[in-house]
Amino acid sequence: MQIPTLSSAALTAADTPQLSIEGLSVAHRSAPQTQQVSDVSLILPAGGALGIVGESGSGKSLTCLSIMDLLPGALKQSAGVVRLHGKPLAPGRKGIRGRRIAMIFQDPGATMNPLRRIGPFLSGLVKLHRGLTGAAAEAEAVRLLDSVRMPAARARLRAYPHELSGGQNQRVMIAGALAGDPEILLADEPTTALDVTTQAQILDLLAELRAERGMGLVLVSHDFGVIAEAADHVAVMRAGRVVEKAPADRLFSFPQHPYTASLLASIPPELGRASALTSRKNPPCNRPSNATKAIGLKARGLSRLFEARGRVRVHALNGIDLTVQPGEMLGVVGESGCGKSTFGRLLVGLDKPSSGDIRAGGKPLVIEDGEAFRNSRRQLQMVWQDPLSVLNPRLSIGHQIIEVLQTHRITDDTQSRMLELLQAVNLKAEHASRYAHQLSGGQRQRAVIARALAVEPQIVVFDEPVSALDLSVQAQVIEMIADIRDRFNLTGIFISHDIRVVRYVSDRIAVMYLGRIVEIGPADDIYHAPKHPYTQALLSAVLSTDPKRRKSRSILRGDPPDPAQMPSGCPFHPRCPRAAARCRVETPALQAGADSRFTACHAVDVETSGRHWEAAA
Amino acid sequence: MSHLIRPTRRGFMTGAAALAGAATLRFPTPALAQSDRPDLVIAVQGLVDNLEPIAAISNVGMRVVNAMYDTLLYRNFLANPDGSGAVIEPGLATNVERLNDHTVRVTLRDDVVFHNGEPMTAQDVAFSFGYDRMFGPEPLTPRAAYFRPDLAEVSVIDDSTVEFVTNGPDYAMEKRLASWIGWVVPEGYFRDKGLDGFGTAPIGTGPYKLKEFLRGDRVVLEANDDYWRGRPTARTVTFVVVPETATRVAGLISGEYHIACALNPDNIPLLQRYEEVEGRGAQIENTHLVVHNQVDNVLADKRVRRAMHKCIDRDALNTALWAGLAGVTNGFQLPMQGEAYDPGRAPYRQDIEGAKALLAEAGYSGEPITYRTLNDYYVNSVAAAQAMQQWWQEAGLNVEIEIKENWGQVTGDGLMSRNWSNGFPLTDPVTPLTTDWHEGSNVQKNYGWKAPEEFNALLGKIRSMPNSPERSAAFQRALDIFDDEAPGTPLYRPYELYGIQSSIGWSPVTFEWMELRPHNLAFD
Amino acid sequence: MIRFIFIRTIRAILTALTVVTTTFVVLRVTGDPVQSLLPVETTPPEIIELYRRMWNLDQPLWQQYVGYWQGIFHGTMGRSFVDGRDVVGIIAERIPITLELMGWTFVAMLAIGLPAGIAAALNRGSWIDRLVMAAAVAGHALPGYVMGILMIWLFAVELRWLPSSGYGTPQHLIMPVITLATAYGAVIARFTRAAVLEVLGQPHVLAARSQGWAGHTIMRREVLPNAAIPLVTIIGLFLGGLIGGSVIVEWIFAWPGIGRLLVTSVAGRDLAIVQALVLLFSATMIFANLMVDLAYAFLNPAIRVRG
């Protein structure tokens, strides 16, 4: 692998790097010839921020773990050396771990001992690294929590991890990492498990801490946006090797390596609108039966109430009114807990609404009546995030599709229809004989979609269909979904937490917050000119890799809300930068604005013209 | 104790044992202690929970109570070297006198005391057999109802004389007084304690008295040094429950037990490998049987029953299942039944061809016959059933085996053939023929056996006559009819195998108890 | 938390009631106890009637059932059908004997299983792991009967180090406890290994290593407490299972406990004792389950706090 000399020279410019990795290789203990990481050399200049980016399996996390000598037991460092200020680090990293180099991880909930309260966790670390005990240690724990901007720090000492949100737990982990006052922080996908608004908060916190402490940062992520946000030097890894390393600005502006360039091109905002790219690229797919016209979908006052944990009532959905036109793709976006998945489940009849009704093609969806339900089930299909859990592991892909075709008596020539379906989702005929575990993640999701299409549905609900996929694959699958939607004349609901992805495939976007639609309108309008403060915040949290498009972001305060604790008035008011007295008592209704847009916000109501929000200024 | 636990023949094991000795891990061995007499330890397969002598009648209870109580008359099993003796000798009674066909009068010893030191009186004897305890409508020992003679009255004549009057002629009364019904208990103590209280802290006149009773675990007896038949030879006798046969054998070989009861013939080769132990045993006065319910089925035809009877090769069963140790009788009789026994009676022979002929004659054409067994309640009964099924099949009999879990299932609806056993508790022809096959018996009353008039008349003779050629002839004629009618078929006498330390002088008897009186227990 | 305990306790009591009622009915419906105890075919009818009256079997089933409960509230569970003694007394004298066996077995099974499982997990893939797992499979697969007899032959007959059977001294305990504890300890070892491995693979252990904690601290603070949660469930269920396992061991080693009492009472169809033992066993199982639930709630703050 040829490494461009230009960027190497730039990286080695500092005199003695704070941290350097030289010729690192990681191999399996039992199969030393198969290297997971090959000959990786990286440098962290003093006080710098090194980003390591790559798709799953690229070796980026193993590289990071090698710095701490924390490789999984089955792997070992087969070559190379890690140096701190030029001095090689000894195996075991005694005196280094937690003291000079600290580390935080992906899922903050899982990286904390569920049986330990926050207080003992932090004061234990304070004692370990600083020798403080008793009240002094506790005071230091509080100070650490304060330093990671944890609200009500002292009160948190008695909390267990499960009582905190993901963002709060990550703050606690960072506080713990700071306990030894390290000079370098390693962050392995620190925001991947978090919602976008929380991700922005954590990245800001890391930046602030770096500035305050002059701390070096090694940031590992699959997300170019995160890397672009936080790193000033970037290494791109692929299949265990560094394919490109360069200062961030240069890398994002002028990627040298084709792989880097292709990854950057896969990021949804860079793709433009789906219709522009894909419309009528392929001829409409032949349907064996009479071509059906697309049908619409109409939800009226749709609510879903869960009675959880005894008397606590959770309003997962709260009076949704919605119309999806025949052939339209509606994107639904929102953070975890906003009710978007519940909405999807109600639409396909996997759950029953507490009140309200749903009509498909003008006919009500009846769940109680078995026969009618089966028919409506045929019209409605759902595609989930995790294709492995919905595919039968013991039947080949082709077999599963043929089985569906036979069950619903779609056609007599099941074999050729099955091959047509595979072709429609860009799978090859040879994939028909494969089993789920023999396919890649993207191929599995294609197979799931092909199987869903086999029953000739009129409406398909996609629930986070690409969230588990690597960036490059994500782009291909999104494109394929846009394509089949046209060819199969589908009406679709596309649910995602990522507004970039939603915007790419959707005609219109509905933004949900705490079980309500707070804003709905044409995709481009929402994306470029959001009116609701929450939509604005969501878009603000989208991280751009284009240095020219970096902006000062408006970061939402607080955590994604808990549907079990519904605020009064406008549900968004506790986090809203524009909240007024009225917002605390009165719930705003969706109001029609210009260009078939609807917004539920008192602040928007009072504006006569609507502020044009510049997303890409 | 050295004579009890000898070093094993294998050298390394001796070394290991020495090592063990050095490790001082010692358990109490049942050998000679400080006293002049040894403590005898007997490993048994089970114990009864009540040591009242009639309540204790069972294969696990009688070996204990026989050491604690005496009978008025004493059957000397050891008059024959193989333990099958039938001689009736004086016991608690010095003399027995027959006044007429339904009255006997006994004269009691005057030197017998119970374990609590009180002398045995005529009142005690009369109570033991009396209306209140034995033959009234609600006897203090309800179980006596199965075993009691047909008594009309038991009366005290004087301090040393008791008279027994039966309802009908009963020339077997003397033998009954020497049987399991005849153990004498103290009246006052018994009435005081009641059945359960007495069964917990029993008192008798026997060679050993109760020292400790841990239900389900052990009974410890200690020598009754005032025993009227002489000083007991063991200081204590402990019956300890070791339910698992293999464990009993192991404990015997390791020297922890002097005697291990109820072993299998399979264990014999193992016992032979150790010179300090050996197997001793006796054929029990009991016969395993096949019995037929003939109501509304093909077994109502005696030719079919006879055919089933003829198919069985009893010697083959004995060899295969009992290592040849069980007893195969010549007809439904035992020598100890006395002069009515005919040693010349022909033994049963397998005759498949004869069976086929009988079936052809009866017009049997494969009608299904079921044969039920209650698991292995009778030792080896499942294996025996399977062997017989083969022979029956050979003769064309379509027999299906049904293995059941409880008696209710065995005797419930659809019963045809099943296994059974008959004991011979008296040294007389009255049992079991006149008790289990008579006119009022279950077989005749409920199983539909239409016995010939002659058979029932013969049983009446056997029951009411004193021994005589005429009675013997009646008995033999009844056996002829029994074999011809085949309401049931004797198979074999089971074998009771004991493992014992070779040095101990003790002989088994042909009954389901052990004789531990001084004359049959010696430590060299 | 209190609500949680309350609900679990009520549920436990209802379970016990169901078990007792079911056994009561089933035992009486499946066969006439008199028929099992007495040779019905040769017993005079009046004697059979006498026995029926003695045990209230002449009453309708519901009356017997009511009487049974009345008895329980008066501290009696009827009288043995075989020897007429009070059932409570009969069982009470056996309980300490079985408890002694079970208690030591419990200790031994944990003493064998926990360290072996932890050692195997910490040395995954090494010879220690393979040895422990092989021993665990063997220990679990070897029937208690075979193992018991083999031990008797080795230690009692050939070496004469230990008494072949019986109870009363510490030496008597050794073989039955080892026989029982081997099978259960093997399972405990496997569960412990799995639980420790599971926790070792959790991110918080990796995080603790990255924070600079020493191995033994991580073991004590991160791994063992978290592994204990699933283990407590298994161990609690074993508490009930031990009674079942004790039946065969009590048989082989002539240990006059509850297990053997059950065998002889079932064989002798002593309904009163069987009934009481079923009640005792189910109460033990239910109690063990309740304890597991409570221990689980105590160990796991996620349950404790939400209660």
Side-chain angles (χ1 to χ4, degrees):
Chain A
M1 181 69 54
Q2 192 188 351
I3 298 163
T5 48
L6 177 72
S7 45
S8 300
L11 275 176
T12 48
D15 296 326
T16 317
Q18 196 173 9
L19 182 77
S20 63
I21 300 170
E22 293 163 20
L24 175 78
S25 292
V26 173
H28 211 272
R29 280 185 198 279
S30 53
Q33 65 281 6
T34 57
Q35 295 196 331
Q36 309 285 312
V37 172
S38 304
D39 193 25
V40 165
S41 296
L42 293 170
I43 283 169
L44 174 69
L50 171 66
I52 306 177
V53 68
E55 297 188 284
S56 56
S58 63
K60 58 187 189 301
S61 286
L62 293 178
T63 303
C64 186
L65 290 170
S66 298
I67 297 171
M68 294 289 252
D69 193 15
L70 283 175
L71 287 171
L75 300 178
K76 64 166 189 201
Q77 183 181 331
S78 51
V81 63
V82 178
R83 293 176 192 273
L84 187 62
H85 296 297
K87 284 172 66 182
L89 295 178
R93 306 291 189 264
K94 207 162 188 309
I96 302 293
R97 287 181 188 167
R99 180 105 26 123
R100 300 187 64 187
I101 307 176
M103 189 164 179
I104 59 173
F105 299 84
Q106 173 168 349
D107 183 354
T111 39
M112 301 191 65
N113 183 347
L115 307 182
R116 281 194 103 196
R117 296 174 198 268
I118 306 307
F121 166 72
L122 288 175
S123 42
L125 284 168
V126 168
K127 184 184 174 201
L128 176 69
H129 293 305
R130 306 243 280 276
L132 298 178
T133 54
E138 192 175 305
E140 180 61 17
V142 173
R143 204 188 62 75
L144 284 170
L145 285 178
D146 284 336
S147 72
V148 296
R149 327 289 188 254
M150 175 74 93
R154 183 164 289 280
R156 302 290 184 194
L157 294 181
R158 291 196 51 74
Y160 283 99
H162 74 267
E163 298 171 287
L164 302 182
S165 69
Q168 287 170 334
N169 275 325
Q170 194 61 293
R171 283 175 201 275
V172 173
M173 282 305 288
I174 295 170
L178 297 178
D181 200 13
E183 55 182 284
I184 297 171
L185 179 66
L186 309 181
D188 186 359
E189 302 269 12
T191 59
T192 307
L194 305 175
D195 271 311
V196 282
T197 55
T198 315
Q199 165 169 291
Q201 292 170 0
I202 296 294
L203 291 178
D204 277 14
L205 173 65
L206 290 177
E208 285 167 37
L209 291 172
R210 269 189 65 206
E212 284 169 17
R213 298 171 172 247
M215 195 169 61
L217 175 70
V218 176
L219 177 68
V220 172
S221 180
H222 70 287
D223 187 336
F224 274 99
V226 169
I227 295 288
E229 183 74 21
D232 40 46
H233 289 81
V234 180
V236 181
M237 288 188 70
R238 181 192 193 185
R241 292 174 185 274
V242 174
V243 297
E244 180 166 6
K245 47 191 175 184
D249 288 358
R250 194 185 311 155
L251 184 117
F252 290 115
S253 305
F254 309 105
Q256 298 290 305
H257 196 279
Y259 178 68
T260 315
S262 74
L263 280 183
L264 285 170
S266 308
I267 299 169
E270 323 299 330
L271 285 168
R273 285 276 291 117
S275 48
L277 252 175
T278 61
S279 64
R280 303 294 173 261
K281 202 164 62 185
N282 293 308
C285 190
N286 290 326
R287 283 172 179 263
S289 53
N290 295 335
T292 38
K293 278 191 66 177
I295 58 168
L297 199 62
K298 201 169 225 170
R300 281 266 166 276
L302 205 58
S303 289
R304 183 67 176 92
L305 196 67
F306 293 101
E307 303 258 354
R309 295 179 216 147
R311 277 143 289 177
V312 184
R313 291 151 65 103
V314 177
H315 245 118
L317 273 190
N318 204 339
I320 300 281
D321 291 309
L322 193 69
T323 304
V324 185
Q325 298 302 327
E328 186 188 30
M329 179 72 90
L330 176 75
V332 178
V333 71
E335 291 176 290
S336 52
C338 74
K340 56 188 191 297
S341 289
T342 307
F343 181 54
R345 293 169 60 82
L346 286 177
L347 288 183
V348 293
L350 289 174
D351 192 5
K352 282 197 285 184
S354 309
S355 63
D357 65 75
I358 306 167
R359 287 170 170 269
K363 276 180 271 175
L365 269 177
V366 193
I367 296 177
E368 284 80 2
D369 182 344
E371 182 69 20
F373 179 59
R374 258 193 299 284
N375 285 334
S376 61
R377 273 303 297 275
R378 245 194 76 181
Q379 298 175 347
L380 291 158
Q381 286 290 310
M382 188 148 184
V383 175
W384 277 272
Q385 176 173 351
D386 179 12
L388 254 194
S389 61
V390 287
L391 288 172
N392 185 332
R394 278 177 282 279
L395 291 181
S396 72
I397 300 303
H399 195 137
Q400 293 185 51
I401 294 173
I402 286 175
E403 207 174 66
V404 170
L405 291 170
Q406 286 169 342
T407 310
H408 294 275
R409 296 190 196 87
I410 306 292
T411 172
D412 291 334
D413 190 1
T414 54
Q415 181 68 24
S416 57
R417 179 64 186 162
M418 181 267 287
L419 292 172
E420 275 174 35
L421 288 164
L422 289 183
Q423 199 190 359
V425 296
N426 298 336
L427 284 177
K428 299 200 181 76
E430 68 200 54
H431 291 122
S433 57
R434 305 261 174 89
Y435 293 85
H437 69 269
Q438 297 171 310
L439 300 178
S440 70
Q443 288 168 336
R444 282 181 206 139
Q445 196 60 290
R446 289 170 194 275
V448 169
I449 292 171
R451 198 179 64 174
L453 292 174
V455 300
E456 299 178 3
Q458 289 161 309
I459 297 168
V460 179
V461 175
F462 299 90
D463 188 358
E464 303 270 13
V466 297
S467 301
L469 304 177
D470 271 327
L471 198 56
S472 54
V473 183
Q474 224 179 51
Q476 294 163 12
V477 173
I478 296 173
E479 212 163 313
M480 183 271 289
I481 289 173
D483 177 38
I484 56 145
R485 174 210 150 188
D486 290 345
R487 292 166 65 191
F488 284 80
N489 207 11
L490 294 176
T491 303
I493 309 286
F494 192 100
I495 297 167
S496 176
H497 69 284
D498 188 338
I499 196 165
R500 295 171 302 180
V501 171
V502 169
R503 173 232 173 188
Y504 178 71
V505 290
S506 307
D507 300 304
R508 282 193 302 153
I509 295 178
V511 181
M512 289 186 66
Y513 190 83
L514 274 181
R516 294 169 196 272
I517 293 174
V518 294
E519 183 161 21
I520 184 168
D524 280 339
D525 294 352
I526 297 279
Y527 192 75
H528 291 296
K531 282 185 178 165
H532 196 284
Y534 178 63
T535 317
Q536 292 170 356
L538 272 186
L539 278 159
S540 161
V542 168
L543 304 168
S544 173
T545 54
D546 184 348
K548 284 174 293 196
R549 285 167 62 171
R550 295 271 184 84
K551 68 265 171 180
S552 65
R553 290 181 281 106
S554 75
I555 292 182
L556 280 185
R557 305 199 144 276
D559 289 310
D562 180 354
Q565 284 154 10
M566 189 69 73
S568 63
C570 174
F572 185 59
H573 85 258
R575 298 172 78 194
C576 182
R578 300 165 69 185
R582 182 186 175 195
C583 301
R584 279 186 267 281
V585 286
E586 193 180 325
T587 311
L590 268 180
Q591 298 284 336
D595 315 326
S596 64
R597 289 180 70 172
F598 296 82
T599 310
C601 179
H602 298 308
V604 174
D605 292 346
V606 296
E607 292 167 9
T608 47
S609 61
R611 190 174 66 103
H612 188 72
W613 194 78
E614 313 225 345
Chain B
M1 70 189 271
S2 61
H3 65 280
L4 286 176
I5 305 178
R6 291 181 195 151
T8 53
R9 281 155 286 174
R10 278 143 298 174
F12 83 94
M13 283 302 173
T14 316
L19 192 72
T24 70
L25 256 179
R26 303 201 65 86
F27 45 86
T29 48
L32 275 168
Q34 316 86 329
S35 140
D36 55 333
R37 287 175 293 178
D39 295 305
L40 183 72
V41 181
I42 302 171
V44 297
Q45 74 270 40
L47 277 177
V48 287
D49 292 323
N50 189 319
L51 293 174
E52 197 269 355
I54 292 176
I57 291 179
S58 80
N59 58 339
V60 293
M62 288 186 292
R63 63 168 74 99
V64 180
V65 292
N66 188 40
M68 300 172 68
Y69 305 93
D70 285 306
T71 45
L72 290 172
L73 299 174
Y74 180 77
R75 175 178 169 193
N76 188 357
F77 286 92
L78 295 159
N80 287 357
D82 66 353
S84 68
V87 180
I88 304 293
E89 297 173 354
L92 295 174
T94 52
N95 186 36
V96 59
E97 185 186 356
R98 178 160 284 281
L99 302 184
N100 54 45
D101 59 0
H102 51 260
T103 310
V104 294
R105 180 177 282 186
V106 297
T107 311
L108 303 173
R109 295 181 69 100
D110 56 6
D111 58 349
V112 178
V113 291
F114 285 109
H115 295 151
N116 61 357
E118 297 192 2
M120 182 198 75
T121 66
Q123 274 74 20
D124 294 320
V125 173
F127 167 78
S128 297
F129 294 86
Y131 182 89
D132 288 357
R133 174 170 181 250
M134 198 176 277
F135 68 88
E138 290 205 14
L140 288 172
T141 302
R143 232 169 148 241
Y146 310 124
F147 311 104
R148 64 193 175 197
D150 188 12
L151 287 164
E153 202 182 350
V154 181
S155 44
V156 176
I157 305 300
D158 60 43
D159 284 353
S160 62
T161 312
V162 178
E163 193 175 278
F164 297 82
V165 182
T166 52
N167 286 316
D170 184 359
Y171 282 98
M173 193 64 205
E174 297 89 334
K175 294 162 181 167
R176 295 185 197 280
L177 297 181
S179 79
W180 58 22
I181 198 74
W183 281 307
V184 172
V185 295
E187 176 176 12
Y189 184 81
F190 194 107
R191 287 190 188 277
D192 195 34
K193 291 275 184 179
L195 174 67
D196 297 330
F198 185 85
T200 306
I203 281 176
T205 61
Y208 295 93
K209 56 189 178 187
L210 186 70
K211 184 180 177 196
E212 193 184 0
F213 182 14
L214 294 173
R215 277 188 181 71
D217 181 43
R218 67 186 58 214
V219 172
V220 183
L221 307 179
E222 66 181 336
N224 169 21
D225 284 338
D226 301 326
Y227 187 46
W228 59 274
R229 287 181 77 126
R231 193 163 178 260
T233 45
R235 188 175 71 136
T236 63
V237 177
T238 301
F239 297 90
V240 57
V241 179
V242 183
E244 172 56 41
T245 310
T247 313
R248 288 199 295 279
V249 175
L252 175 79
I253 294 172
S254 74
E256 292 161 75
Y257 314 128
H258 296 99
I259 301 175
C261 300
L263 304 190
N264 298 325
D266 306 354
N267 299 131
I268 290 173
L270 186 60
L271 296 175
Q272 285 169 344
R273 282 176 47 204
Y274 296 86
E275 62 191 37
E276 61 269 46
V277 298
E278 62 187 49
R280 293 176 201 167
Q283 293 164 7
I284 299 303
E285 288 161 2
N286 182 295
T287 301
H288 288 190
L289 300 157
V290 175
V291 64
H292 306 294
N293 174 19
Q294 308 153 25
V295 178
D296 294 336
N297 64 42
V298 69
L299 295 170
D301 190 326
K302 76 172 182 186
R303 289 169 297 194
V304 177
R305 303 196 299 267
R306 267 193 67 73
M308 288 183 77
H309 161 82
K310 276 179 172 291
C311 289
I312 300 165
D313 183 342
R314 290 161 179 81
D315 290 318
L317 289 179
N318 185 12
T319 311
L321 308 180
W322 295 91
L325 295 168
V328 176
T329 60
N330 53 338
F332 196 20
Q333 59 169 355
L334 294 186
M336 64 81 177
Q337 284 175 308
E339 61 180 71
Y341 172 79
D342 177 7
R345 190 172 180 83
Y348 296 131
R349 292 258 175 264
Q350 185 185 40
D351 179 11
I352 302 272
E353 291 312 312
K356 282 182 182 166
L358 279 168
L359 290 175
E361 200 182 309
Y364 172 82
S365 52
E367 290 89 339
I369 297 168
T370 55
Y371 180 85
R372 288 182 182 169
T373 170
L374 175 59
N375 277 321
D376 263 337
Y377 176 86
Y378 299 114
V379 178
N380 286 331
S381 60
V382 172
Q386 283 158 350
M388 293 191 292
Q389 187 187 32
Q390 296 293 319
W391 293 320
W392 286 328
Q393 197 174 14
E394 230 176 289
L397 282 156
N398 173 19
V399 181
E400 256 177 65
I401 299 176
E402 295 179 352
I403 299 172
K404 297 293 186 183
E405 283 161 20
N406 62 49
W407 278 125
Q409 291 174 3
V410 172
T411 57
D413 284 351
L415 171 67
M416 293 177 74
S417 300
R418 71 169 177 95
N419 55 5
W420 194 24
S421 83
N422 275 185
F424 292 69
L426 299 177
T427 51
D428 192 274
V430 289
T431 53
L433 216 50
T434 75
T435 49
D436 292 303
W437 304 89
H438 65 97
E439 208 168 349
S441 72
N442 188 51
V443 181
Q444 290 204 31
K445 228 167 59 183
N446 302 321
Y447 283 8
W449 179 38
K450 296 186 176 53
E453 292 282 330
E454 185 194 357
F455 180 79
N456 289 335
L458 288 167
L459 294 194
K461 273 185 157 178
I462 296 165
R463 202 183 286 118
S464 60
M465 286 176 74
N467 274 339
S468 61
E470 191 189 353
R471 188 175 189 238
S472 299
F475 181 55
Q476 291 301 324
R477 174 65 190 141
L479 291 184
D480 291 344
I481 297 173
F482 182 85
D483 290 344
D484 178 65
E485 283 280 323
T489 303
L491 296 176
Y492 39 68
R493 294 169 63 188
Y495 185 78
E496 177 79 14
L497 174 65
Y498 300 85
I500 186 166
Q501 303 291 338
S502 312
S503 60
I504 295 176
W506 174 85
S507 298
V509 298
T510 56
F511 207 68
E512 286 140 318
W513 68 41
M514 299 171 76
E515 182 53 85
L516 298 171
R517 285 178 174 76
H519 61 279
N520 191 40
L521 181 63
F523 303 86
D524 59 300
Chain C
M1 186 69 182
I2 289 173
R3 203 175 115 86
F4 176 82
I5 295 175
F6 179 76
I7 290 175
R8 292 292 163 143
T9 311
I10 293 290
R11 199 182 293 173
I13 292 170
L14 284 179
T15 313
L17 280 178
T18 313
V19 171
V20 171
T21 308
T22 310
T23 35
F24 188 92
V25 173
V26 167
L27 282 178
R28 277 158 181 78
V29 166
T30 50
D32 186 347
V34 176
Q35 220 171 32
S36 310
L37 290 165
L38 310 174
V40 170
E41 298 171 349
T42 52
T43 309
E46 63 271 17
I47 297 297
I48 290 180
E49 274 318 301
L50 179 67
Y51 273 90
R52 280 187 200 284
R53 271 207 309 285
M54 252 167 61
W55 299 322
N56 298 330
L57 291 171
D58 51 340
Q59 296 173 354
L61 195 61
W62 68 268
Q63 231 170 358
Q64 294 180 41
Y65 184 68
V66 170
Y68 186 74
W69 278 109
Q70 281 171 347
I72 288 179
F73 284 116
H74 291 101
T76 158
M77 303 192 52
R79 300 194 156 270
S80 161
F81 282 24
V82 172
D83 68 352
R85 292 196 310 140
D86 182 36
V87 167
V88 175
I90 293 176
I91 293 176
E93 70 189 24
R94 302 290 193 103
I95 285 178
I97 299 171
T98 291
L99 275 187
E100 186 185 359
L101 181 61
M102 281 176 55
W104 285 109
T105 300
F106 194 71
V107 170
M109 118 193 152
L110 294 183
I112 295 170
L114 292 179
I118 292 170
L122 291 182
N123 299 284
R124 184 184 194 176
S126 72
W127 66 270
I128 297 177
D129 188 21
R130 286 196 295 274
L131 180 76
V132 168
M133 283 303 99
V137 169
H140 185 61
L142 191 63
Y145 179 84
V146 173
M147 170 143 183
I149 299 292
L150 285 177
M151 283 212 297
I152 289 173
W153 276 97
L154 180 61
F155 293 111
V157 176
E158 300 296 355
L159 299 176
R160 310 222 170 161
W161 289 356
L162 295 169
S164 58
S165 69
Y167 76 111
T169 71
Q171 288 96 308
H172 283 105
L173 268 167
I174 294 173
M175 286 196 288
V177 164
I178 290 177
T179 304
L180 257 182
T182 300
Y184 287 103
V187 183
I188 296 275
R190 284 161 65 180
F191 272 107
T192 305
R193 178 180 179 273
V196 170
L197 280 181
E198 161 90 29
V199 177
L200 281 176
Q202 281 170 7
H204 65 86
V205 175
L206 182 66
R209 291 173 66 200
S210 82
Q211 286 152 3
W213 292 108
H216 60 89
T217 311
I218 294 174
M219 203 62 207
R220 175 170 51 81
R221 189 182 281 162
E222 307 278 328
V223 178
L224 295 184
N226 280 289
I229 292 175
L231 278 179
V232 160
T233 313
I234 296 298
I235 291 168
L237 295 180
F238 274 23
L239 210 58
L242 272 180
I243 294 187
S246 71
V247 172
I248 187 100
V249 166
E250 288 185 3
W251 181 267
I252 297 169
F253 292 101
W255 196 269
I258 296 284
R260 235 171 78 194
L261 181 65
L262 179 69
V263 174
T264 47
S265 303
V266 167
R269 227 175 158 72
D270 194 334
L271 288 207
I273 292 183
V274 174
Q275 180 82 55
L277 286 178
V278 168
L279 181 65
L280 177 72
F281 289 173
S282 57
T284 312
M285 290 291 255
I286 290 162
F287 181 74
N289 272 321
L290 184 63
M291 286 297 107
V292 165
D293 282 345
L294 297 184
Y296 198 84
F298 177 76
L299 287 174
N300 191 347
I303 291 182
R304 187 190 337 155
V305 176
R306 284 175 194 160

